[in-house]
Amino acid sequence: MEDRIAALQTEAVAAIESATDRKSLDAARVTHLGKSGGITRLSEGMRDVSKDDRPRLGKLLNELRQAVNAALEARELALATESDAAALAALDITLPGTRSETGSIHPLTHLLDKAVGIFRRLGFVLADGPDIETEWHCFDALNTPADHPARNEQDTFYLPDGRLLRTHTSSVQVRVMESQAPPVRIIAPGAAYRRDEVDATHLAQFTQMEGLYVDRQVSVADLKGTLEYFFRELFGPETEIRFRPHFFPFTEPSYEIDIRAQALGGKWMELAGCGMVDPAVFEGICQKRGDRVFDPEEVTGFAFGFGLDRLAMNLIQIPDIRMLVENDLRFLQQFPA
Ligand code: PHE
């Protein structure tokens, strides 16, 4: 029996050490330690061994089992180390990594954020409305009759159901007055749409910023003071501002605003429309709401609206408005935030 144990140990350890992969190692394990393996059969043979020999042979058998298990473990570790080394050898750590791109803030967004920040300091809050508007919110409620040229099919994108892409953000004035009571002090930046032929100075979609302030005794002086403060904050204290009489159906009196600032190239620039909310607009809102909180005998207000795209173009001195929407990274990367 001793001889058989010794022979089996030599045989098993040799088989294990010569295993070149996991498969042959598993095979060696089964052959020697498995249910019908050599060691198992030897253990069964212990039954026929005399009582005196039993402790000694049992100990030998145990040592055999431990030796085989240790050999298996050592070989397994060696094989794993080998395959790790092979995998690492196939890896070229000198290859360049994948760069993560950092974005930058679009110049239009940058301008918009600054503008919003200034009006916020004056107590204006952001308001919003849908880009797809009803004719009523975009025109009728703003005192713009059906025969007004702005409503021409050639100028506006109409949907089959009669709604349209809003031609200005002034529709948000209406949405706000429908749902809130005075005092109202909002700004509403957003997209507006017109059926313009796209060229270097025109896009069919552009960005506007609307403002509305309604309270008791709001005056033209408030309008003028607010916008002067705003443009001087935005473009510098030496900015000059000019109010020219104009006409809008929903304001009376109405003005166009020109400004001149070094930041904008030092030339007069026609910029914005504004005026005192026309009493007819308040009257229409009262009818729609079914109450008199916007009674034009009680409240007054001013409104303004300006385009941001041309301002951005002047600020960053680009010759073509289409650059703002082409999403060309070479363009955008020139304006790190
Ligand atoms: N909605 C006008 C436009 O797009 C601008 C404007 C807004 C004028 C508010 C007066 C008051 O031209």
Side-chain angles (χ1 to χ4, degrees):
M1 184 106 172
E2 276 109 321
D3 292 347
R4 278 176 63 203
I5 291 177
L8 205 64
Q9 177 153 346
T10 318
E11 191 196 322
V13 170
I16 287 165
E17 281 175 354
S18 65
T20 51
D21 53 26
R22 290 206 74 94
K23 231 174 129 188
S24 47
L25 191 62
D26 274 340
R29 187 202 314 273
V30 173
T31 310
H32 297 98
L33 289 174
K35 264 196 185 130
S36 48
I39 297 176
T40 318
R41 263 185 283 129
L42 264 185
S43 308
E44 282 163 0
M46 285 291 284
R47 261 177 280 159
D48 310 324
V49 167
S50 74
K51 250 199 171 139
D52 295 343
D53 289 340
R54 217 172 260 177
R56 189 174 45 86
L57 288 176
K59 189 167 170 255
L60 280 178
L61 211 66
N62 245 346
E63 281 165 6
L64 166 63
R65 207 181 282 276
Q66 277 166 12
V68 171
N69 271 323
L72 275 170
E73 231 170 78
R75 191 66 197 137
E76 208 165 82
L77 185 68
L79 284 177
T81 310
E82 259 174 51
S83 74
D84 281 356
L88 279 175
L91 187 74
D92 181 357
I93 57 164
T94 66
L95 275 177
T98 315
R99 180 192 294 275
S100 56
E101 300 278 354
T102 33
S104 57
I105 297 193
H106 192 283
L108 205 53
T109 309
H110 185 64
L111 174 63
L112 187 61
D113 287 350
K114 253 177 101 173
V116 169
I118 296 168
F119 278 118
R120 278 214 147 124
R121 289 207 295 283
L122 289 171
F124 284 76
V125 296
L126 281 170
D128 202 5
D131 288 21
I132 299 176
E133 255 309 357
T134 64
E135 265 193 278
W136 189 78
H137 287 91
C138 198
F139 296 128
D140 301 85
L142 290 164
N143 200 31
T144 307
D147 59 0
H148 192 279
R151 298 182 68 151
N152 194 309
E153 274 185 45
Q154 303 323 309
D155 290 331
T156 310
F157 294 102
Y158 283 91
L159 273 70
D161 66 5
R163 289 182 302 163
L164 46 84
L165 296 184
R166 66 182 182 194
T167 56
H168 51 186
T169 45
S170 299
S171 52
V172 184
Q173 291 184 35
V174 179
R175 297 239 165 224
V176 166
M177 288 190 281
E178 273 180 306
S179 60
Q180 296 173 32
V184 160
R185 194 154 35 175
I186 60 102
I187 45 168
Y193 307 83
R194 276 173 212 174
R195 233 180 235 241
D196 265 338
E197 205 64 59
V198 172
D199 62 26
T201 52
H202 296 88
L203 289 174
Q205 178 188 331
F206 51 102
T207 312
Q208 279 194 332
M209 177 129 130
E210 193 77 14
L212 174 69
Y213 179 22
V214 182
D215 202 348
R216 288 176 182 278
Q217 297 184 329
V218 176
S219 70
V220 176
D222 297 319
L223 163 64
K224 203 160 175 273
T226 302
L227 290 178
E228 278 176 357
Y229 173 80
F230 169 70
F231 286 119
R232 289 188 178 135
E233 281 292 293
L234 196 56
F235 299 124
E238 81 296 341
T239 304
E240 294 169 88
I241 296 128
R242 196 157 71 182
F243 286 75
R244 268 186 296 108
H246 198 71
F247 173 80
F248 295 104
F250 41 95
T251 45
E252 179 61 32
S254 304
Y255 308 93
E256 265 194 334
I257 303 172
D258 306 325
I259 68 173
R260 183 160 71 173
Q262 281 317 315
L264 296 171
K267 279 186 303 212
W268 281 107
M269 202 183 149
E270 182 186 313
L271 195 76
C274 66
M276 301 305 292
V277 178
D278 195 303
V281 172
F282 284 141
E283 208 47 70
I285 294 287
C286 286
Q287 268 174 35
K288 181 78 194 293
R289 291 177 59 106
D291 63 25
R292 303 288 308 164
V293 294
F294 283 98
D295 185 344
E297 298 295 326
E298 298 292 329
V299 295
T300 50
F302 68 70
F304 57 86
F306 56 89
L308 287 168
D309 310 75
R310 274 204 206 144
L311 269 184
M313 281 175 74
N314 272 289
L315 274 178
I316 60 178
Q317 303 198 351
I318 55 167
D320 194 320
I321 196 170
R322 289 170 289 196
M323 289 175 167
L324 291 175
V325 292
E326 278 165 350
N327 274 340
D328 188 330
L329 283 180
R330 291 167 304 175
F331 168 74
L332 293 172
Q333 278 160 358
Q334 293 176 60
F335 311 103

